[in-house]
């Protein structure tokens, strides 16, 4: 058995693991990343018949105030930002298409709210922007709205926005503080949504470039199966081939995996409690088309069925063969619907109907479909009874956690990046 020693051992090569490793190696740490499969984790780009299918639209929210932007600046990452065009975003209410009130212009154009309700809605948003309204961790957004006697139309609007941004069919369960925190960021940004040219893969390549330029080690197909602990420290991780020792350890694998790795350690029970949480699960149904179907929108949100379609090739020309089009559809699932084959078939049908309605002729142009019936968009769902995992626990002083199941800023990958950044800072402060 060989022994390799590193300043920092990072377990998991998803966005959290790679950004932690890139940041720490750029600060002079000798870092190793251990990934059981391929790099990227859920931020994966699959190339099929010339189409680059990304898991999700790799939309980055409020990029100007995001932690990814901080990484971009500090690590000199090359990111090809493609900003979302709000004028091409529409809500499908069932009988009409109308503007998404994602910015002030959208708010005044949308037919979803009557003139008076728009004033009320704007007022609520203004309070959020000025941080006059912060919500309460023990009050769901639904309960908060009832308590504040918010007008019904405005209530519906707020829940619709939350539904589309939090990837949930149950927006009423979001804690009000999480809701307001999120919206105060989103409504004060100049860049509400942006995509990345080249997809997730472009970002992964950039992180790996930084790690390798700083003499870091990236090991794929290297599964961590256990840890060796001494007193209040982790001293090594075990892979089938070797034991890898380190001064600090950052665990960037979902809690359900972590439970197995930390079996028979002091953390077994503490971690089990986080592993019981429910993830946010969606059905993804993407289609690669031979020729573009030109329509005046690049994003459609079906308000009744909680499905959205993004014309990702409108933003990222590199993801299609010449002249082609890549449409991504995502349908949210309620917790009770996860794994229910009948419901999932029904959701797929609803997606196809939405394609028929807004991209007529897509079936004739279809080159390759890609369906995933159980995609975990975020490991932890923000509902009243679920709390994210802290980035460190008192049991082991040289062990940290990062990932979208951890405490951090924002939603989705921003949670992975922000927890990765906070963990890196904690490690660097130890010096
Ligand atoms: C359909 C879909 C759409 C999405 N859309 C967006 C979007 O538009 N915008 C956005 O910001 N985010 C989006 N996301 C979310 C984003 O993909 C995730 O938040 C992010 O990729 C999570 O990264 P992570 O590193 O925290 O976790 P993961 O990606 O889960 O990484 C964990 C890694 O650990 C590895 N691992 C597990 N166990 C072990 C072990 N024992 N040993 C070694 N390695 C191990 C895994 O293989 C994996 O690579 C979407 C996700 C999905 C699925």
């Amino acid at each position: 058995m060989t022994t390799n020693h590193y300043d920092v051992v990072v377990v998991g090569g998803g966005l959290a693991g790679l950004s932690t490793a890139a940041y720490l190696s750029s600060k002079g740490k000798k870092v190793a990343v251990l990934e059981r499969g391929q790099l990227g984790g859920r931020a994966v780009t699959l190339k099929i018949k010339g189409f680059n299918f990304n898991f999700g639209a790799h939309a980055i929210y409020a990029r100007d105030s995001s932690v990814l932007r901080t990484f971009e600046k500090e690590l000199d990452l090359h990111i090809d930002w493609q900003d979302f065009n709000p004028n091409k975003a529409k809500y499908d209410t069932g009988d009409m298409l109308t503007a998404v009130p994602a910015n002030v212009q959208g708010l005044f154009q949308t037919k979803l709210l009557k003139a008076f309700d728009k004033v009320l809605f704007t007022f609520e948003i203004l309070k959020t922007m000025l941080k006059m309204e912060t919500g309460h961790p023990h009050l769901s957004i639904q309960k908060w709205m009832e308590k504040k006697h918010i007008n019904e139309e405005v209530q519906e609007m707020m829940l619709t926005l939350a539904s589309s941004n939090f990837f949930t069919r149950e927006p009423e369960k979001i804690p009000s503080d999480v809701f307001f925190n999120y919206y105060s960021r989103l409504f004060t940004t100049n860049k509400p949504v942006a995509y990345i040219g080249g997809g997730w893969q472009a970002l992964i390549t950039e992180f790996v470039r930084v790690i390798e330029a700083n003499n870091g080690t990236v090991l794929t197909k290297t599964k961590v199966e256990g840890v060796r602990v001494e007193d209040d420290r982790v001293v090594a991780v075990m892979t089938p081939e070797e034991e890898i020792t380190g001064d600090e350890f950052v665990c960037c694998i979902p809690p359900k995996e972590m439970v197995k790795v930390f079996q028979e350690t002091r953390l077994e029970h503490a971690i089990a409690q986080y592993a019981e949480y429910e993830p946010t699960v969606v059905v993804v149904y993407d289609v690669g088309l031979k020729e573009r179907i030109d329509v005046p929108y690049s994003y459609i949100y079906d308000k009744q069925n909680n499905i959205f379609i993004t014309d990702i090739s409108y933003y990222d020309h590199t993801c299609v063969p010449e002249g082609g089009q890549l449409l991504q559809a995502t349908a949210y699932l309620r917790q009770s619907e996860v794994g229910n084959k009948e419901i999932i078939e029904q959701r797929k049908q609803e997606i196809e109907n939405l394609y028929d309605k807004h991209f007529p002729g897509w079936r004739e142009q279809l080159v390759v479909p890609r369906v995933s019936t159980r995609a975990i968009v975020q490991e932890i769902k923000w509902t009243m009874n679920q709390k994210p995992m802290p980035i460190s626990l008192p049991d082991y002083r040289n062990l940290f956690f990062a990932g979208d199941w951890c405490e951090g800023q924002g939603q989705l990958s921003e949670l992975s990046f922000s927890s990765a950044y906070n963990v890196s800072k904690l490690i660097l402060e130890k010096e």
Side-chain angles (χ1 to χ4, degrees):
M1 185 178 278
T2 56
T3 306
N4 292 318
H5 189 88
Y6 295 91
D7 297 335
V8 186
V9 176
V10 177
V11 182
L15 294 177
L18 290 174
S19 53
T20 305
Y23 195 73
L24 288 173
S25 62
S26 79
K27 300 287 177 195
K29 296 283 182 193
K30 186 183 175 206
V31 179
V33 186
L34 316 178
E35 163 57 47
R36 71 171 172 195
Q38 300 293 332
L39 296 176
R42 274 169 286 145
V44 67
T45 309
L46 272 182
K47 206 172 175 84
I48 315 172
K49 296 192 182 169
F51 292 89
N52 288 345
F53 288 95
N54 275 285
F55 229 179
H58 52 280
I60 303 295
Y61 298 90
R63 74 166 166 94
D64 45 358
S65 61
S66 69
V67 176
L68 178 55
R69 171 88 185 115
T70 308
F71 278 133
E72 181 190 18
K73 279 192 279 187
E74 293 198 30
L75 300 177
D76 197 19
L77 302 176
H78 307 305
I79 302 179
D80 172 20
W81 292 111
Q82 299 288 334
D83 286 315
F84 180 72
N85 182 349
N87 301 326
K88 287 197 166 269
K90 304 283 177 221
Y91 270 161
D92 179 347
T93 62
D95 39 36
M96 66 167 171
L97 276 185
T98 187
V100 174
N103 59 6
V104 179
Q105 197 186 353
L107 181 61
F108 285 98
Q109 284 172 350
T110 191
K111 297 193 182 93
L112 280 184
L113 290 169
K114 293 195 255 1
F116 178 62
D117 295 328
K118 283 180 189 176
V119 176
L120 293 179
F121 184 69
T122 312
F123 182 59
E124 291 308 324
I125 296 302
L126 202 66
K127 283 197 295 188
T128 315
M129 282 164 70
L130 298 175
K131 295 210 176 5
M132 283 160 63
E133 193 51 73
T134 53
H136 193 284
H138 299 296
L139 211 58
S140 69
I141 186 63
Q142 177 76 52
K143 288 264 166 8
W144 178 91
M145 291 191 296
E146 282 164 14
K147 206 173 144 207
K148 299 273 174 168
H149 306 291
I150 302 287
N151 160 310
E152 254 179 50
E153 303 265 312
V154 174
Q155 279 198 29
E156 205 199 316
M157 189 69 249
M158 288 174 93
L159 289 180
T160 303
L161 272 185
S163 180
S164 56
N165 286 320
F166 285 75
F167 281 72
T168 177
R169 284 200 106 177
E170 297 158 311
E172 62 283 354
K173 292 185 184 167
I174 298 170
S176 49
D177 64 326
V178 171
F179 181 91
F180 285 112
N181 227 320
Y182 184 75
Y183 282 102
S184 73
R185 253 188 88 217
L186 210 59
F187 281 102
T188 46
T189 173
N190 290 321
K191 313 277 180 199
V193 188
Y195 304 105
I196 297 169
W200 290 127
Q201 187 55 50
L203 208 51
I204 291 157
T205 306
E206 277 297 281
F207 283 127
V208 172
R209 179 181 63 77
V210 174
I211 297 168
E212 290 180 343
N214 290 289
N215 300 318
T217 304
V218 179
L219 300 175
T220 53
K221 302 207 167 69
T222 306
K223 184 175 180 184
V224 169
E225 294 183 330
V227 291
R228 188 154 63 78
V229 293
E230 276 170 19
D231 304 323
D232 63 354
R233 296 182 71 78
V234 175
V235 290
V237 293
M238 259 87 77
T239 73
E241 284 81 37
E242 58 182 344
E243 183 178 281
I244 298 172
T245 60
D247 296 336
E248 312 287 342
F249 291 82
V250 188
C251 205
C252 303
I253 64 177
K256 285 188 180 70
E257 285 301 318
M258 248 188 252
V259 169
K260 298 177 209 158
V261 171
F262 285 91
Q263 246 173 31
E264 290 170 32
T265 70
R266 272 191 232 167
L267 274 187
E268 194 174 353
H269 297 295
I271 292 176
Q273 138 195 6
Y274 297 106
E276 279 161 20
Y277 292 156
E278 294 160 350
T280 302
V281 181
V282 298
V283 173
V284 181
Y285 188 159
D286 299 347
V287 291
L289 309 182
K290 199 159 114 223
E291 273 177 35
R292 279 196 69 77
I293 297 168
D294 274 316
V295 290
Y297 31 79
S298 62
Y299 173 95
I300 297 278
Y301 183 73
D302 173 347
K303 196 170 161 293
Q304 282 171 334
N305 294 315
N306 301 112
I307 299 174
F308 68 86
I309 297 178
T310 312
D311 177 359
I312 198 68
S313 45
Y314 176 83
Y315 295 99
D316 180 5
H317 306 294
T318 67
C319 70
V320 282
E322 213 185 320
Q325 187 169 34
L326 199 153
L327 303 174
Q328 302 195 308
T330 303
Y332 310 147
L333 291 178
R334 290 197 180 85
Q335 197 54 41
S336 58
E337 297 173 345
V338 176
N340 182 326
K341 283 195 182 133
E342 247 169 65
I343 297 227
I344 286 167
E345 271 315 305
Q346 191 187 321
R347 304 292 283 150
K348 276 170 62 184
Q349 197 57 55
E350 286 164 2
I351 291 176
E352 290 187 355
N353 295 345
L354 203 62
Y355 278 140
D356 284 338
K357 186 169 173 189
H358 297 293
F359 295 90
W362 71 279
R363 291 173 194 265
E364 290 74 47
Q365 296 299 337
L366 185 65
V367 180
V368 46
R370 177 171 180 262
V371 182
S372 170
T373 55
R374 215 196 150 123
I376 296 180
V377 174
Q378 186 167 287
E379 274 289 341
I380 182 154
K381 200 185 268 180
W382 295 87
T383 59
M384 288 310 294
N385 51 1
Q386 297 194 33
K387 289 282 168 275
M389 186 171 184
I391 58 173
S392 68
L393 290 167
D395 308 64
Y396 297 108
R397 302 196 171 277
N398 64 341
L399 175 65
F400 302 88
F401 308 99
D404 66 1
W405 49 89
C406 283
E407 283 171 354
Q409 166 184 307
Q411 289 293 305
L412 306 165
S413 69
E414 181 66 358
L415 274 171
S416 309
F417 293 129
S418 56
S419 52
Y421 190 74
N422 294 340
V423 158
S424 304
K425 287 279 176 205
L426 281 183
I427 291 178
L428 293 170
E429 277 164 17
K430 276 182 152 188
E431 283 172 355

